[in-house]
Amino acid sequence: MTQLNRRRFLSSGIATAGGGVLGALGLSGVADAAPAGTAGTPGTAGTHLLSIGGREITSGWTFRAADGTTPSGDQVASARRIAGLKPAVVPGTPLTSMIANGEYPDPLYGHIVTDTVPDTLKDTDYWYRVAFPVPRLIPGQRFWLQFDGINYLGTIWLNGTKVGTVEGAFRRGVFDVTDIIAKANGTAHLAVLVGKLDYADPPALPSYASGVTRGGRNGGKTGITLKNGPTFFCTAGWDWLPTIPDRDLGIWQPVTWSTTGQIRLTDVHVDPTLSADLSTADIAIGLTLDSAFDSPRSVVVRGTLDGRDFTRTVTVPAGASTVTVTSDDLACLRLHRPKLWWPNGYGDPHRYRLSIGVESGGQVHDERTVDFGVRRIEYTKPIQSQSGTPVDCLAITVNNQPILVMGGNWGLDEALKRIPRERLREQVRLHSEANLNLIRNWNGQSSTEDFYEACDEFGILVWQDFFCSTEGPAPANVTRDLDNIRDCIVRFRNHPSILLWCGGNEGPPPQPLIDGLDALVAELDPKRASLTSSAGDTGKNPIGGYSSGGPYHWVTPSTHFDLNDGTHWPPFHNEVGSYSIPTLEFIRKMIPEASWEHPDDSWADRDVNGNGGNGGGSGYLQITAERYGELQNLPDFARKSQLMNYECIKAIYEAHAANMESASPGKPYPRTGVIMWMTNPAQPSFVWQMYTHDLEAHSSFYAVQHACRRLNVILNSKTYDVVVANHTRAAVRGTVAVTLYDLDGKAFGNTSLRVGGAAESDHTVIGNLATQLNGAPSDVAFVRLSFKDGHGAELVRNFYWIENPARAAGFMSLNDVAPAAVSVVADVKHGRDTIELTAKVENTGEAVALMVHLQVYDTRTGERILPATFDDNYLNLVGGEWSTVRVRLDTGQVRDHKDIGVRIDGWKIDQRASRLRGHGVAVTFNKAALSTQPPTKTFGG
């Protein structure tokens, strides 16, 4: 029987149907048994290692649906031949295994999911089975089997013996199977019965004509899936996710084995306390131990922190116990002038590494390595409420630095839970490069070690939800829910990225869950805030000033500036979003060719109806046509949508930055944070994302990146104020040069605005352009802002297309502007493990070059090379202006794509007058994207 390596499947399986990026991100290798002993342990010379670190069981898995013909667990967990078994992907779901086995195509590309895969996959339990080699145990050695995540219920058998159960998708199962392995003769036979959900709805079907997504109700027809509690309840169908036929059942996280001596470190909690002046940090280490000795034993706790070794002798009783070691006990646990963990854009997210183990009698029983960060978080500041009294509002300060939260919501990391470590890291990296500083882990649906490690690395704070939502009934089993919450807190609390814990989505969970969460945080992680829900807090000392509530659809930029001008409560919005149409290439990939020019139910399955805002997909198309002109064909829709993306999504963040921190007369509610709904897509989609499912950054990404710069100069599209938004720790000075251009690209206004000292962590209004814009010679004006310091160095540049306030009529006149002539010169520089591709883009004519877009592609196949994110893109250049942009490709991408090219498109480009040149790389026009004027209209109908 063919064996499937889980990591190779995650690479090649999606690459075939879903495109480029996952093909570049696969991991190879199969874990197997290894002798005891590892390098770099805290043990001393002469000690004997009883511990073997976690070995992942990645290959050899098989599975089948459980039915009346399946033998019992004791027989499945044996060498006996079992009929009907097929290769399985682990970690993975039944559907990912079926896709790998060729039973179904990838349903997220070119198909309607519910038409392609039967919804009956959710209606059965599944047996998983694997045999793996195990070492011969030596005296005093214990063998452990660990499951990091099973959805929904798992019953585990090993070599004919029932080991135990795991309940809920977010709880680990750790089992001492020493007695079984001692008799295993070198091979273990593992069987897992994955139990189906207790409650499930039938599928929610897409309908483009309805104007709403999948019946207009999130969570399925009744929402009963939420009654299960800790599971992927969004897979019942949401306004951003189709119904997933197997509901993401399966062994979705790694299965590992390890060994210890008689004493096991079940948990290591590292708890830093940073002084108010940031000069010292005291590290407390809490150890939870499990001893199989039948009497107390004296053991040595031995570790290394920041290059300094330490030991401490403690007495460990039989069974479970805890030991706490602090800087009062060991001087090396006090760090002087510690290196701090900072959110993205404010400093280095430094992490310390603690290695620690327990020894006795010349034997190392167990050891752990923990990476942690040192930082100090304050959660609130008093802001005058609507009643006129101060309220402790959600306002984040890290290491004494006020942080304007500029974040993104993740609904689910990937629709079918195809989430190798490299893919998750790339998703988080994109958030970092977009200048975001927070991800909200919506309802905890993406809770994995890989996710938090990536957020730690890139300085991304995490708003960590748990498993309740208002879209359905409360969890039926409160104990199970709280068990999953407890394990999540214990498992992930060492991660400096986690900002706070939150009970659920948009409304309070049942009171027993609220009380249970508050008690768990008070017991296990009291320094972090605990919020009742994303809509409000009802705790003992409630945090106020935040809410959800949208808008979730496209609105004008001035609407966002109006909603966030300091006159509207509350100051912090954790859900607000818009349509986010991908590039032409991705649209053509995600929907079948017959639907390209004719929006239909395939578009609806890719979420084009959103939550019904804008009147659904057809309403959005109409608004686009009214604003930018009639849609001629799919390329025309794609290019006009890039402008729609850019102006709306940029305003979401800029409106908050332009009104952050300080109140002013008549504006008592300064902005403290915004989290866009959404930044990461779980599936190929038309809405709520800043990059595509295959990790292509389209205009939404660069809108976010430009809006969230830590120093920015912003044009308020409601008041036409020019605002300096300074997120940094120092006041800034200089001059903002303002130039206004007409539709022909001719300057009709110039202003120099002095910046005498824009305060740190605040916004400063430096001028107003209303009069000049009212006098614009055309109904559309271009505005270029350039902020230079006192030495003439440009600090930041910004660009807008703005309606003439005196005769606002949309942007249809952009269709009549002359095409721009551009020069693009590309070069390739080879590094040790990467190549850097550089492109100098210059506007060589007079007409404004609007939204000039570069893609990296394979010149042999025409396919995009992904991920390949330029440090800037969708460039807006006036006559004579130029910009140099860069992108790095890794060795795997270079190996897989021998012939690399750059292609160019934009709003209107004069291809004859333009000049393209490459040194070691082809440079071409993106002919398909520029073909926006067919002889006759083909789009719609």
Side-chain angles (χ1 to χ4, degrees):
M1 178 177 289
T2 302
Q3 301 300 324
L4 286 180
N5 180 292
R6 160 252 183 176
R7 297 199 185 275
R8 289 183 184 140
F9 164 74
L10 288 169
S11 166
S12 61
I14 301 180
T16 300
V21 61
L22 297 190
L25 298 181
L27 292 176
S28 63
V30 179
D32 56 14
T38 56
T41 70
T44 58
T47 57
H48 182 65
L49 291 173
L50 297 174
S51 62
I52 299 176
R55 303 288 201 243
E56 186 177 348
I57 306 168
T58 59
S59 66
W61 288 91
T62 56
F63 86 117
R64 60 161 291 177
D67 57 30
T69 67
T70 311
S72 57
D74 59 332
Q75 297 180 61
V76 179
S78 71
R80 172 177 172 168
R81 184 181 181 280
I82 305 296
L85 290 171
K86 297 179 180 180
V89 177
V90 174
T93 71
L95 181 54
T96 55
S97 295
M98 293 172 189
I99 293 171
N101 293 333
E103 295 179 52
Y104 300 108
D106 186 329
L108 303 183
Y109 287 86
H111 302 274
I112 294 174
V113 174
T114 48
D115 290 349
T116 306
V117 182
D119 198 60
T120 53
L121 298 188
K122 72 179 188 306
D123 297 328
T124 183
D125 302 338
Y126 290 90
W127 278 108
Y128 282 80
R129 186 194 202 201
V130 70
F132 61 97
V134 294
R136 179 176 297 174
L137 300 183
I138 60 179
Q141 197 170 38
R142 302 165 78 187
F143 191 99
W144 302 87
L145 191 61
Q146 177 162 323
F147 296 82
D148 283 347
I150 297 175
N151 186 36
Y152 168 62
L153 305 171
T155 305
I156 293 94
W157 297 73
L158 188 68
N159 285 13
T161 301
K162 183 178 178 181
V163 170
T165 60
V166 181
E167 297 190 14
F170 305 103
R171 196 185 195 287
R172 292 169 295 179
V174 183
F175 303 98
D176 183 345
V177 292
T178 305
D179 292 345
I180 299 172
I181 295 300
K183 305 172 185 176
N185 293 321
T187 301
H189 298 276
L190 174 64
V192 182
L193 180 63
V194 174
K196 64 185 178 181
L197 301 177
D198 295 315
Y199 309 96
D201 261 335
L205 306 179
S207 168
Y208 178 77
S210 71
V212 295
T213 300
R214 303 178 187 94
R217 194 189 193 291
N218 290 332
K221 294 181 183 299
T222 69
I224 197 171
T225 301
L226 280 89
K227 198 171 180 179
N228 294 292
T231 187
F232 305 115
F233 55 73
C234 54
T235 59
W238 225 263
D239 51 16
W240 47 269
L241 190 70
T243 300
I244 305 302
D246 65 356
R247 304 304 189 269
D248 284 349
L249 296 172
I251 305 173
W252 72 280
Q253 280 288 281
V255 182
T256 57
W257 64 263
S258 61
T259 69
T260 68
Q262 294 291 83
I263 300 173
R264 178 173 181 262
L265 280 168
T266 61
D267 182 60
V268 179
H269 180 203
V270 183
D271 185 15
T273 300
L274 180 61
S275 64
D277 64 1
L278 313 183
S279 65
T280 60
D282 291 292
I283 312 300
I285 303 172
L287 305 178
T288 305
L289 303 162
D290 173 61
S291 173
F293 289 120
D294 56 8
S295 61
R297 290 296 174 101
S298 177
V299 302
V300 175
V301 175
R302 187 183 303 276
T304 301
L305 174 62
D306 197 30
R308 293 181 290 178
D309 297 334
F310 63 86
T311 61
R312 184 167 179 81
T313 301
V314 299
T315 299
V316 177
S321 64
T322 59
V323 172
T324 300
V325 183
T326 72
S327 58
D328 292 335
D329 306 311
L330 297 167
C332 67
L333 297 185
R334 169 164 287 185
L335 303 177
H336 296 276
R337 300 183 67 183
K339 298 177 181 178
L340 304 183
W341 186 92
W342 285 97
N344 182 40
Y346 294 91
D348 177 40
H350 181 80
R351 285 173 292 168
Y352 288 92
R353 172 159 291 182
L354 169 72
S355 297
I356 195 165
V358 290
E359 308 173 8
S360 71
Q363 294 181 319
V364 177
H365 289 270
D366 200 4
E367 52 197 0
R368 294 284 188 275
T369 298
V370 178
D371 292 337
F372 67 96
V374 174
R375 82 283 188 277
R376 175 186 177 90
I377 295 179
E378 298 164 74
Y379 290 94
T380 65
K381 75 173 184 180
I383 297 177
Q384 176 185 312
S385 70
Q386 294 164 301
S387 66
T389 58
V391 169
D392 287 332
C393 289
L394 186 63
I396 302 303
T397 298
V398 180
N399 303 334
N400 300 337
Q401 166 68 30
I403 304 292
L404 176 67
V405 168
M406 305 183 95
N409 283 276
W410 284 39
L412 191 65
D413 36 30
E414 204 280 327
L416 306 186
K417 300 304 287 184
R418 299 173 291 193
I419 46 171
R421 178 187 298 268
E422 270 63 27
R423 175 178 172 85
L424 264 177
R425 186 178 181 276
E426 287 298 314
Q427 290 168 279
V428 177
R429 180 187 63 80
L430 284 169
H431 283 68
S432 171
E433 292 187 0
N435 294 319
L436 295 177
N437 54 34
L438 180 142
I439 291 171
R440 177 181 168 215
N441 187 1
W442 181 86
N443 281 286
Q445 303 285 277
S446 303
S447 297
T448 66
E449 189 68 34
D450 291 345
F451 170 70
Y452 301 109
E453 284 182 3
C455 290
D456 289 348
E457 176 187 354
F458 290 107
I460 301 296
L461 295 164
V462 177
W463 173 310
Q464 175 67 22
D465 279 2
F466 287 119
F467 322 119
C468 285
S469 179
T470 57
E471 305 285 352
N477 190 328
V478 171
T479 299
R480 179 184 295 161
D481 227 58
L482 290 174
D483 283 347
N484 279 244
I485 291 172
R486 170 181 283 275
D487 198 55
C488 279
I489 294 173
V490 170
R491 183 179 180 183
F492 302 127
R493 61 187 172 181
N494 289 329
H495 289 281
S497 56
I498 295 179
L499 174 68
L500 55 80
W501 309 105
C502 180
N505 181 53
E506 294 186 346
Q511 196 61 45
L513 275 175
I514 296 173
D515 295 341
L517 172 61
D518 288 345
L520 286 172
V521 174
E523 173 196 352
L524 302 170
D525 196 24
K527 290 180 183 175
R528 282 191 175 97
S530 174
L531 305 180
T532 303
S533 79
S534 66
D537 189 22
T538 62
K540 184 178 180 181
N541 297 300
I543 295 174
Y546 71 92
S547 73
S548 305
Y552 299 96
H553 53 276
W554 193 93
V555 298
T556 62
S558 61
T559 300
H560 286 298
F561 279 94
D562 179 48
L563 291 172
N564 297 287
D565 65 358
T567 67
H568 299 273
W569 183 266
F572 192 117
H573 284 104
N574 55 39
E575 288 186 14
V576 53
S578 179
Y579 278 83
S580 180
I581 309 300
T583 61
L584 172 67
E585 292 78 14
F586 191 75
I587 295 173
R588 285 178 169 174
K589 172 173 283 189
M590 72 176 174
I591 56 177
E593 185 172 356
S595 302
W596 286 357
E597 300 286 347
H598 307 285
D600 58 11
D601 289 351
S602 291
W603 288 54
D605 211 35
R606 303 286 82 80
D607 311 322
V608 78
N609 284 335
N611 67 342
N614 294 133
S618 62
Y620 171 78
L621 298 180
Q622 181 179 346
I623 291 171
T624 304
E626 290 171 351
R627 194 161 180 84
Y628 286 100
E630 187 177 13
L631 305 176
Q632 299 299 310
N633 60 5
L634 184 63
D636 190 38
F637 167 68
R639 70 152 185 162
K640 286 173 176 172
S641 290
Q642 297 312 307
L643 277 72
M644 292 280 282
N645 291 351
Y646 190 84
E647 58 168 333
C648 180
I649 287 176
K650 188 163 173 260
I652 288 174
Y653 290 101
E654 285 194 340
H656 286 77
N659 293 282
M660 68 174 178
E661 190 61 26
S662 291
S664 58
K667 297 184 176 182
Y669 313 131
R671 303 296 93 181
T672 59
V674 59
I675 311 177
M676 189 169 78
W677 186 264
M678 303 158 73
T679 46
N680 176 68
Q683 72 142 348
S685 181
F686 284 105
V687 298
W688 303 329
Q689 59 190 350
M690 68 175 184
Y691 50 77
T692 55
H693 182 258
D694 64 358
L695 308 192
E696 181 182 31
H698 49 272
S699 67
S700 297
F701 177 90
Y702 294 97
V704 176
Q705 183 188 71
H706 295 158
C708 295
R709 292 174 287 200
R710 295 298 175 261
L711 179 64
N712 210 354
V713 56
I714 295 167
L715 178 62
N716 183 321
S717 60
K718 177 193 174 190
T719 64
Y720 306 109
D721 285 338
V722 179
V723 185
V724 173
N726 178 15
H727 305 248
T728 73
R729 296 190 289 272
V732 292
R733 292 173 173 79
T735 303
V736 174
V738 180
T739 312
L740 294 88
Y741 300 85
D742 65 15
L743 281 171
D744 295 326
K746 296 178 181 178
F748 68 86
N750 292 281
T751 302
S752 181
L753 302 175
R754 181 173 175 270
V755 183
E760 67 273 15
S761 306
D762 210 342
H763 74 280
T764 304
V765 178
I766 60 171
N768 186 277
L769 303 183
T771 300
Q772 290 171 284
L773 287 169
N774 274 296
S778 51
D779 57 2
V780 174
F782 301 110
V783 180
R784 182 184 185 276
L785 307 175
S786 176
F787 185 7
K788 295 183 178 180
D789 65 17
H791 302 288
E794 188 172 64
L795 303 175
V796 65
R797 184 191 306 175
N798 214 339
F799 188 91
Y800 300 84
W801 52 97
I802 295 286
E803 296 174 272
N804 184 326
R807 53 178 191 273
F811 296 107
M812 285 186 285
S813 59
L814 290 177
N815 290 286
D816 301 324
V817 302
V822 297
S823 165
V824 181
V825 181
D827 291 276
V828 170
K829 180 180 178 181
H830 291 270
R832 183 174 182 180
D833 298 315
T834 62
I835 68 167
E836 181 179 88
L837 192 153
T838 301
K840 180 181 179 181
V841 184
E842 183 177 2
N843 184 347
T844 57
E846 293 185 359
V848 172
L850 190 63
M851 298 289 276
V852 179
H853 171 226
L854 293 81
Q855 279 182 334
V856 183
Y857 76 109
D858 188 315
T859 60
R860 291 180 298 174
T861 66
E863 291 296 317
R864 297 157 299 144
I865 299 174
L866 297 171
T869 306
F870 285 90
D871 60 4
D872 197 5
N873 213 331
Y874 291 92
L875 308 173
N876 297 296
L877 303 172
V878 299
E881 190 175 18
W882 58 272
S883 182
T884 299
V885 297
R886 295 173 177 81
V887 63
R888 288 183 182 272
L889 302 178
D890 62 33
T891 52
Q893 291 173 308
V894 176
R895 181 185 63 247
D896 295 339
H897 304 281
K898 302 298 184 183
D899 299 310
I900 296 172
V902 177
R903 58 190 176 202
I904 316 297
D905 63 84
W907 177 249
K908 294 182 78 173
I909 295 179
D910 186 337
Q911 297 181 43
R912 290 187 177 182
S914 296
R915 297 291 180 265
L916 309 182
R917 187 167 74 255
H919 301 136
V921 59
V923 185
T924 61
F925 291 109
N926 188 336
K927 298 284 188 179
L930 290 168
S931 298
T932 59
Q933 295 180 325
T936 59
K937 176 186 173 183
T938 59
F939 190 77

